[in-house]
Amino acid sequence: MIQANLNRIYETIKETAMRVGRDPADIKLVAVSKNVDPDMIAEASACGQPLFGENYLQEAAAKIPSCPSNARWHFIGHLQSNKARQAVELFECIETVDSLKLAKALDKYAQMMQKPLSIFIQVNIGKEPQKSGIMPEEVLPFLRLAGIETNLKPHGLMTMPPYDPDPERSRPFFRQLREIFESARRQHLFADESRAELSMGMSGDFPVAIEEGATIIRVGTALFGQRI
Ligand SMILES: *Cc1c(COP(=O)(O)O)cnc(C)c1O
C-alpha cells in the first residue's frame, strides 16, 4: 500500500511540476509520520523515502530509535525553547521556529553538539489566532534579527494556511508566502539563497502548493492513510 501511495504522490509531484515548468527534482516530500508506528516508517524507508516529519517531540523521541537509521527527520510541530536540546539531537531541521528565544536556544545546542541544523520560520499566513507563527508582515524583520542574533541564519519558510477542503482557497495564501520568500531571498536573508526552502502543501492541497512554488511538501494521510 505504501509503495503504491508513494508512487502516486511522486507521480503527482512530477506531473504538477512539469505542467508549470518546474524541475520535479526541486521538490522534496516530507513523509508526515505522526501517529504512524515504526514498522510503517520502515516500510516507507525501504521503498526509498528518505525524509520524515514529526509533530510531537515525545512521540518522536520514543519512535526514532526504532526507525531505520538512514531516515532523516524534520520537526513540524510546536516546539518550546526548553525542549530545544532534545529537538537538536533528533532532527536535522526544525520547520516551526516562531520566536527569537527558540532560534537562540536551537543555535546554542547546535553549536554545543556541533550538529548542522536547518531552521525554517513558521509563518501564520492566515493570521489565525489559534495558530503559531510569525505574522506575514513581521517575517522580513524577524529574519534580519535572527540572522544577527544567532549563527543560524534561517534556511526557509514554512506555513499551514487556514483549513479549507477546497485547495483553490489555499492558493492565495501559498502565493503570498512565495512573495515574502522571494523578497527575503533578494535581501539575502537566508543561509543559502540558492537552496532556500519553501515548505507548504499537505495531502489535500500539495499540487496547488507546487504550482505556487513549494520546494517541500508535507504529506501524511495520502501516504500512510487516515490517522486514528
Ligand atoms: C499533519 C500535518 C501535515 C500532514 O497533513 P496531511 O493532511 O495528513 O497530509 C503537514 N504539516 C503539518 C504541520 C501537520 O501537522
Side-chain angles (χ1 to χ4, degrees):
M1 176 195 94
I2 287 184
Q3 180 74 74
N5 290 348
L6 265 178
N7 291 350
R8 183 156 10 85
I9 294 164
Y10 276 104
E11 196 52 42
T12 306
I13 293 174
K14 192 169 143 197
E15 281 168 10
T16 311
M18 310 259 272
R19 190 171 62 233
V20 294
R22 299 186 58 197
D23 181 351
D26 291 341
I27 297 143
K28 292 186 268 299
L29 170 67
V30 169
V32 176
S33 50
K34 60 185 171 208
N35 299 331
V36 172
D37 61 32
D39 290 352
M40 295 254 272
I41 295 170
E43 192 179 335
S45 173
C47 293
Q49 174 58 32
L51 196 56
F52 295 85
E54 287 283 336
N55 286 62
Y56 307 101
L57 202 60
Q58 264 198 319
E59 181 188 339
K63 257 164 43 176
I64 290 178
S66 337
C67 290
S69 57
N70 62 347
R72 295 158 39 215
W73 300 90
H74 279 208
F75 190 74
I76 60 170
H78 184 65
L79 185 61
Q80 286 170 324
S81 13
N82 62 2
K83 301 281 167 58
R85 169 196 274 276
Q86 200 179 15
V88 173
E89 282 167 358
L90 294 168
F91 295 89
E92 66 170 37
C93 175
I94 310 296
E95 294 202 13
T96 44
V97 173
D98 60 356
S99 72
L100 203 54
K101 187 176 173 206
L102 176 57
K104 285 181 177 171
L106 291 168
D107 181 32
K108 178 174 108 184
Y109 290 113
Q111 299 266 333
M112 253 169 65
M113 298 180 224
Q114 301 202 319
K115 271 199 71 175
L117 178 75
S118 295
I119 63 169
F120 300 170
I121 305 307
Q122 179 176 7
V123 182
N124 186 352
I125 200 73
K127 302 191 173 190
E128 295 170 279
Q130 78 280 15
K131 268 195 192 146
S132 16
I134 303 293
M135 289 297 160
E137 65 276 13
E138 298 293 332
V139 174
L140 296 182
F142 185 87
L143 286 170
R144 262 178 228 118
L145 208 55
I148 295 165
E149 300 215 4
T150 74
N151 300 295
L152 271 183
K153 233 180 171 186
H155 287 73
L157 302 179
M158 175 272 198
T159 203
M160 200 161 37
Y163 174 75
D164 197 299
D166 176 3
E168 280 304 322
R169 306 262 290 226
S170 301
R171 189 184 294 279
F173 293 107
F174 292 149
R175 188 165 295 175
Q176 195 192 346
L177 191 67
R178 164 74 181 276
E179 282 162 10
I180 297 169
F181 176 75
E182 294 299 348
S183 312
R185 194 142 67 165
R186 277 196 300 274
Q187 296 179 36
H188 313 292
L189 297 176
F190 291 120
D192 181 351
E193 275 134 57
S194 62
R195 296 206 323 221
E197 307 278 10
L198 186 54
S199 173
M200 56 189 195
M202 322 201 303
S203 291
D205 56 13
F206 75 84
V208 174
I210 291 171
E211 287 169 4
E212 296 300 330
T215 66
I216 291 182
I217 58 170
R218 310 177 309 268
V219 175
T221 313
L223 173 56
F224 293 114
Q226 204 68 46
R227 285 179 291 273
I228 23 117

